[in-house]
């Protein structure tokens, strides 16, 4: 899965975490300063609805996505 249009500040790093609907973290990745996209390996994840959370020390953004193969 490709995550695009990440607006990471040039001097801040972010953490991307993916959770299933039971709240279990199933994936994590660091977003480097200035990075605008990230490729996630979802091969070990089953079909379903997931919550993606991107955060740094000052802000948190969340969104849902559906993984269906």
């Amino acid at each position: 899965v490709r995550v695009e249009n990440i607006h990471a500040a040039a001097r801040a790093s972010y953490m991307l975490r993916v959770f299933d609907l039971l709240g279990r973290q199933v994936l994590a990745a660091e977003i480097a300063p200035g990075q605008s996209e990230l490729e996630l390996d979802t091969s070990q994840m089953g079909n379903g609805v997931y919550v993606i959370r991107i955060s740094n020390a000052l802000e948190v953004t969340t969104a849902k996505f559906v993984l269906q193969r």
Side-chain angles (χ1 to χ4, degrees), residues 3-6 12 15 17 25 30-31 41 44 56 61:
V3 179
E4 298 177 336
N5 297 322
I6 300 170
M15 280 301 298
R17 292 182 173 91
Q25 181 176 308
E30 185 171 350
I31 301 170
D41 179 7
Q44 300 299 315
N56 68 9
T61 301

Side-chain angles (χ1 to χ4, degrees), residues 2-52:
R2 181 179 299 274
V3 179
E4 298 177 336
N5 297 322
I6 300 170
H7 299 287
R11 296 183 185 179
S13 63
Y14 289 76
M15 280 301 298
L16 179 144
R17 292 182 173 91
V18 177
F19 299 90
D20 65 16
L21 289 183
L22 297 176
R24 297 177 295 205
Q25 181 176 308
V26 295
L27 194 62
E30 185 171 350
I31 301 170
Q35 189 172 356
S36 64
E37 62 182 51
L38 181 67
E39 188 75 29
L40 298 176
D41 179 7
T42 58
S43 62
Q44 300 299 315
M45 297 167 54
N47 291 343
V49 178
Y50 293 89
V51 175
I52 188 168

